[in-house]
Amino acid sequence: MLSATSLLSQTRRHFFHDCALGLGSLALSSLLDEGRARGEVPLVNPLTPKKGHRAARAKHVIFLFMAGGPSQLELFDYKPKLTALHGKPIPDEFIKGKRFAFMDSFFTKEKPKLLASRRKFAQHGRAGTWVSECLPHTAGIVDDLAVVRSMATNVFNHAPAKIFVNTGSPQAGRPSMGAWVTYGIGSEANNLPGFVVLQSGPRGGHPLWGSGFLPTTYQGVPFRSGGEPILNLTRPAGISDERQRQVLDAVKELNAARLTDTGDPEIATRISSYEMAYRMQTSAPELIDLAQEDKKTLEMYGAQPGKPSFANNCLLARRLVERGVRFVQLYHTDWDHHGSGSENLTAGLDRVCREVDRPSAALVTDLKRRGLLDDTLVIWGGEFGRTPMGEVRDSVGRNHHIDAYAMWLAGGGIKPGLNLGVSDELGFAAVEDRVHVHDLQATVLHLLGLDHTKLTFRFQGRDFRLTDVHGEIVAKLLA
């Protein structure tokens, strides 16, 4: 038994090395059994599936992130009053005491004028959901969707707003939602990461899917939809599988010894990532081979094998959740329709809607027909919406808006055919069933069996969580 003096003299490294109940030994005691038959050092698997705080309604999440801020007034929020007042200054009662993008009249000295939508709207489905002509395929699946027209957020500049909806904070460096989810309940995928990112022209990069202060094993792993799925994944020329396995085993032994010595969780992550990369040399190329899909499925999505696109990524998302991946996030850009260059509410909006409408609807339909929609939560939306006032640049567009915008959700315990929330008659602010970004995050975690107030991580002397100190579960969204 160590005396108090000798115990104090032990360094942290010696303590973890010598103490049979040190963190390193505890970590090693939970290693997987795979590899034991070959006499290998067992694999630390931080992504082993875990139970949440309650029974889960969803097992997987697919977040279709529309970067730039889709205009709810051109897509989902039909406003006849806005049409009637087109071209007139917005009444003071709507904007008095409110903050909105460029409210200091940066681009004009006049009071902002209201801008009617040029798009035709119609009601669809059993609930009579309003959807514009821009999204005909989405209109066809509204009975499977919950459309929220009362979303609200805090930040009206793109970069911090995208970080906010993905991490719960406008400042870079916090864990993303996918990282929190895999930290909380792990993943069911054996040969793929728990959190995968698919990109078609994103802006923002790693802070949107990083792990922040969580161990890096929980961060999103960007995949490419063509060629080599992950850069530098392919085995180097001239290296046999047997030789590569020998190198990995030697590195694993060294890392495992270091883990025992220090108890550093990042070493467990390193061991796991090397093994995952080895297995993915086989699983990832098979995953992205869309030629395995039948012609009818490819046509439904509008996917073309070998040609990267949002359509291909939607089909890949389905293939990923089939293989047990916990969180899949798709990023698609060019929704920033201010009215300059290609960023306008005519040709620019038409183009981006064509790119996402068909594959988004196909994803929901495909998941449903394969029995996957019940436990897969699909989310569609961006970081904020657009103002009911016009903005004149090269042409007329709309500015960023945080007080009322639209998103939709489907599957995974969401009530289908639901219209939730109402904005005022001009679409400036939510007036009924307001859903803040933190409420959305709390609800997503709830559906996955996680209590957003209990899913915490201690960092720099305080407990952090995805929803910070905010967030309420949106009970009306739940089936």
Side-chain angles (χ1 to χ4, degrees):
M1 182 174 178
L2 291 174
S3 66
T5 303
S6 61
L7 179 61
L8 288 173
S9 69
Q10 298 294 307
T11 65
R12 179 176 180 273
R13 176 179 299 176
H14 289 147
F15 175 79
F16 286 125
H17 183 272
D18 296 333
C19 180
L21 295 179
L23 293 182
S25 297
L26 288 174
L28 287 175
S29 71
S30 65
L31 299 179
L32 295 178
D33 289 332
E34 56 183 86
R36 290 186 187 274
R38 297 199 301 265
E40 298 174 357
V41 175
L43 167 65
V44 176
N45 185 9
L47 291 174
T48 299
K50 313 177 189 71
K51 290 185 178 180
H53 303 113
R54 57 177 300 279
R57 300 291 303 276
K59 293 182 179 179
H60 316 279
V61 176
I62 299 175
F63 194 164
L64 309 176
F65 194 83
M66 305 293 111
S71 173
Q72 74 282 4
L73 297 166
E74 267 65 42
L75 302 178
F76 296 108
D77 209 0
Y78 177 53
K79 295 297 177 187
K81 187 69 171 181
L82 187 61
T83 300
L85 297 178
H86 172 71
K88 296 182 179 181
I90 185 169
D92 288 336
E93 60 263 30
F94 286 91
I95 60 175
K96 186 176 181 180
K98 298 288 183 70
R99 297 178 69 241
F100 53 90
F102 306 113
M103 61 183 293
D104 58 353
S105 300
F106 182 83
F107 290 103
T108 176
K109 297 300 180 182
E110 300 178 1
K111 183 183 290 188
K113 294 181 179 179
L114 295 170
L115 176 65
S117 175
R118 301 178 183 179
R119 307 298 180 165
K120 295 179 181 179
F121 278 77
Q123 290 180 285
H124 300 269
R126 292 187 297 271
T129 303
W130 287 102
V131 183
S132 86
E133 60 187 348
C134 294
L135 301 173
H137 296 278
T138 302
I141 62 163
V142 290
D143 285 339
D144 293 315
L145 309 182
V147 179
V148 183
R149 296 183 178 85
S150 52
M151 289 296 306
T153 186
N154 293 358
V155 191
F156 50 67
N157 287 325
H158 289 293
K162 285 186 279 190
I163 293 172
F164 185 70
V165 73
N166 280 284
T167 73
S169 169
Q171 298 176 327
R174 299 283 181 87
S176 59
M177 191 187 307
W180 277 114
V181 168
T182 50
Y183 164 68
I185 55 176
S187 175
E188 297 177 340
N190 292 320
N191 299 319
L192 291 165
F195 177 16
V196 172
V197 176
L198 302 170
Q199 308 168 61
S200 45
R203 299 169 186 169
H206 183 265
L208 305 182
W209 55 77
S211 59
F213 43 71
L214 294 176
T216 52
T217 192
Y218 303 114
Q219 69 185 352
V221 178
F223 271 33
R224 303 193 305 167
S225 58
E228 192 175 2
I230 299 178
L231 294 177
N232 304 314
L233 182 66
T234 303
R235 184 183 303 119
I239 302 297
S240 67
D241 179 74
E242 181 182 5
R243 180 60 176 163
Q244 184 182 37
R245 184 68 261 175
Q246 290 173 347
V247 172
L248 289 175
D249 288 345
V251 171
K252 193 194 310 185
E253 289 182 13
L254 292 171
N255 280 327
R258 184 66 174 165
L259 175 62
T260 305
D261 196 39
T262 68
D264 185 350
E266 281 300 311
I267 298 175
T269 293
R270 190 182 309 156
I271 296 171
S272 179
S273 65
Y274 277 128
E275 289 297 325
M276 177 66 73
Y278 177 72
R279 295 196 300 272
M280 283 172 56
Q281 288 178 340
T282 299
S283 63
E286 182 274 334
L287 166 75
I288 69 164
D289 183 10
L290 300 186
Q292 298 178 21
E293 299 287 336
D294 60 60
K295 183 178 180 181
K296 183 178 179 180
T297 299
L298 292 172
E299 289 177 349
M300 181 173 67
Y301 281 89
Q304 300 180 57
K307 294 184 178 180
S309 66
F310 181 78
N312 281 20
N313 287 346
C314 282
L315 182 48
L316 283 173
R318 188 219 80 204
R319 292 170 65 86
L320 284 162
V321 299
E322 281 182 317
R323 289 156 175 78
V325 173
R326 185 72 72 188
F327 203 102
V328 185
Q329 191 150 18
L330 281 64
Y331 286 88
H332 194 69
T333 192
D334 287 346
W335 287 99
D336 192 21
H337 297 125
H338 288 281
S340 57
S342 62
E343 298 175 349
N344 58 57
L345 290 174
T346 53
L349 180 63
D350 287 340
R351 177 185 55 77
V352 73
C353 284
R354 283 194 302 269
E355 291 169 349
V356 306
D357 177 40
R358 180 178 177 183
S360 299
L363 175 62
V364 173
T365 300
D366 199 14
L367 289 170
K368 185 176 181 180
R369 73 176 184 174
R370 293 170 184 268
L372 294 169
L373 187 60
D374 286 345
D375 58 16
T376 301
L377 173 62
V378 183
I379 309 168
W380 188 101
E383 66 267 35
F384 43 56
R386 316 303 292 194
T387 57
M389 304 86 78
E391 178 188 6
V392 180
R393 293 193 182 183
D394 299 334
S395 59
V396 179
R398 299 189 190 276
N399 222 316
H400 310 168
H401 196 54
I402 64 173
D403 290 323
Y405 63 102
M407 298 181 75
W408 61 252
L409 302 92
I414 291 294
K415 185 179 294 184
L418 176 68
N419 289 296
L420 181 67
V422 177
S423 64
D424 60 49
E425 60 186 359
L426 298 182
F428 190 91
V431 295
E432 183 180 315
D433 291 320
R434 181 177 183 266
V435 178
H436 187 269
V437 162
H438 285 311
D439 302 328
L440 175 69
Q441 294 163 342
T443 305
V444 170
L445 294 182
H446 174 80
L447 290 167
L448 291 163
L450 292 165
D451 184 333
H452 73 107
T453 66
K454 295 179 180 178
L455 183 65
T456 62
F457 189 89
R458 194 157 190 84
F459 178 66
Q460 293 184 341
R462 62 159 282 194
D463 290 334
F464 285 85
R465 70 187 206 214
L466 173 63
T467 52
D468 193 30
V469 295
H470 310 283
E472 299 290 339
I473 296 166
V474 186
K476 290 183 178 181
L477 277 173
L478 308 181

